[in-house]
Amino acid sequence: NEVVKGKVIIKVQKKIDEEWKDVEGVFVEESVEILPGKLIKLDKIFNPKEFSVDSDGEYRIFVEFISEDSSYKKNKYWEFKVV
């Protein structure tokens, strides 16, 4: 078990013409250390940005972790609709 160092990137994307496009002004990139057996609270990183959607549509929160030496990358996303 060892500390994993890297960066977390969080961005909001909107579906436009069947493609995901980054929403301008909503981008977080933060260096992190993950201790053995622990996790990162993404809401603690993202929520202070106080993002709100100003138009209807399909959106997603896209998150990516990249290890310090770039040997490991993992991403995940969560989709939601605004009506």
Side-chain angles (χ1 to χ4, degrees):
N1 291 338
E2 59 187 66
V3 173
V4 177
K5 296 180 181 180
K7 65 181 173 183
V8 171
I9 298 167
I10 305 174
K11 54 188 170 181
V12 176
Q13 297 177 319
K14 184 176 183 179
K15 196 176 211 178
I16 301 171
D17 298 326
E18 299 305 314
E19 287 189 44
W20 292 104
K21 306 284 186 177
D22 294 350
V23 173
E24 287 188 39
V26 187
F27 183 86
V28 178
E29 183 175 323
E30 189 167 307
S31 295
V32 296
E33 281 189 6
I34 306 170
L35 301 173
K38 301 295 180 181
L39 51 86
I40 301 171
K41 294 285 196 172
L42 296 175
D43 60 330
K44 302 284 186 204
I45 296 171
F46 184 73
N47 287 352
K49 298 298 178 188
E50 299 181 2
F51 169 73
S52 63
V53 176
D54 61 1
S55 62
D56 294 353
E58 293 181 58
Y59 292 86
R60 71 180 183 179
I61 305 292
F62 182 88
V63 180
E64 183 171 37
F65 173 79
I66 303 170
S67 64
E68 193 171 52
D69 64 2
S70 297
S71 65
Y72 180 80
K73 293 181 182 182
K74 180 76 175 176
N75 63 56
K76 191 79 174 172
Y77 59 86
W78 296 270
E79 295 182 14
F80 61 97
K81 288 184 179 181
V82 175
V83 292

